[in-house]
Amino acid sequence: MPDYREVAEAAVRAAGAALLDWRGRFHVRQKGPCDPVTEADLAAQEAAWAVLSKAFPSHDLLSEESPHDRLADERFRWILDPLDGTQ
């Protein structure tokens, strides 16, 4: 089984790379009143989840941008909130 810390670091680095790729070219949209979301945020979340789900396919994800959990094995849940600069 992969090391949790190593996989988490790889996921964070993938998310960071996605955010850097979007730097200076993303647009903010509102997903609700006073609740912005960007393409960068979604790309970072997907990049991180791609790493995590490959290493741990039965684990669950709880994320600000995906309100519906990807329920698989409720014993393990990753909590993810990419940092794109929106509040």
Side-chain angles (χ1 to χ4, degrees):
M1 176 178 277
D3 179 88
Y4 287 96
R5 184 173 151 208
E6 288 176 10
V7 173
E9 182 177 342
V12 169
R13 290 188 183 280
L19 289 174
L20 287 174
D21 186 49
W22 278 94
R23 184 177 50 198
R25 63 181 184 92
F26 66 86
H27 304 283
V28 178
R29 66 178 168 85
Q30 297 297 120
K31 63 181 177 183
C34 299
D35 197 4
V37 64
T38 66
E39 296 94 342
D41 210 12
L42 296 171
Q45 173 182 293
E46 288 306 313
W49 184 238
V51 172
L52 294 169
S53 64
K54 182 177 180 183
F56 308 110
S58 68
H59 289 195
D60 186 21
L61 171 68
L62 175 62
S63 174
E64 179 183 14
E65 305 311 335
S66 292
H68 304 290
D69 299 355
R70 302 173 192 198
L71 295 175
D73 183 342
E74 294 184 21
R75 296 177 300 159
F76 298 98
R77 176 174 288 168
W78 293 87
I79 300 173
L80 180 61
D81 186 13
L83 302 173
D84 67 350
T86 60
Q87 298 178 359

